[in-house]
Amino acid sequence: QELLAEVSQMLAQYTDIVSRINRTNTATLFSDGKTVTDALAERDTLSLERGLLESLLAAATNQAYRYQRAEIKYVSTVSVATIQKRMDDLARRYRELDSAIQSLNWQIDLI
C-alpha cells in the first residue's frame, strides 16, 4: 500500500513537471518568433527525415553478391552522393537547432 501511494505521488509530480515544461516551451520564444515547441517539432522532423534517408541509402548501397551469371544484378536508381549530401545537411541543421534549444533552456525558468 505504501509503494502504491508513493507511485501515485510520483506520477502526480511527473504530470506536474511535464505540464510545466510544455507550458514553458509553448510560451518561450526564440529571437525569430518561433516557440521552443515549434523548434522541438522541427528538430524531430529533421531526425525523422535523416533516418528515412539513411534507410534509403543503406538499401541503395546494398551490394548483392552474385555467384552465377544468371542471378539478378542490383543497380542503384538514386544518387547516393546527393542523398549523403542531404543527410549531412540535415545532421548539421539538427545539431545547430539542438544547440540553440539547449542554450535557450539554460536561460529560462519553468513556468
Side-chain angles (χ1 to χ4, degrees):
Q1 293 299 343
E2 289 178 37
L3 287 175
L4 288 176
E6 188 176 340
V7 165
S8 291
Q9 181 185 6
M10 294 198 68
L11 289 173
Q13 290 174 351
Y14 172 79
T15 300
D16 179 59
I17 197 158
V18 168
S19 296
R20 292 175 61 202
I21 289 169
N22 289 338
R23 279 193 303 273
T24 302
N25 288 345
T26 302
T28 304
L29 299 176
F30 280 93
S31 59
D32 63 358
K34 180 176 19 181
T35 66
V36 172
T37 302
D38 295 335
L40 291 171
E42 183 180 342
R43 184 186 69 179
D44 291 346
T45 302
L46 291 170
S47 178
L48 180 62
E49 183 178 357
R50 186 174 185 285
L52 292 170
L53 290 177
E54 189 173 34
S55 296
L56 174 62
L57 192 61
T61 59
N62 184 12
Q63 299 294 324
Y65 297 102
R66 296 183 347 167
Y67 296 105
Q68 298 175 358
R69 227 183 249 210
E71 291 184 23
I72 297 172
K73 180 179 180 183
Y74 292 93
V75 178
S76 178
T77 58
V78 296
S79 171
V80 172
T82 302
I83 293 171
Q84 185 62 55
K85 184 176 179 183
R86 176 74 177 150
M87 284 177 54
D88 293 343
D89 180 57
L90 290 169
R92 178 190 52 78
R93 290 174 47 203
Y94 180 95
R95 286 189 311 272
E96 289 173 353
L97 185 57
D98 190 56
S99 293
I101 291 168
Q102 293 302 321
S103 175
L104 190 59
N105 280 342
W106 284 104
Q107 300 171 23
I108 58 174
D109 293 322
L110 283 178
I111 293 175

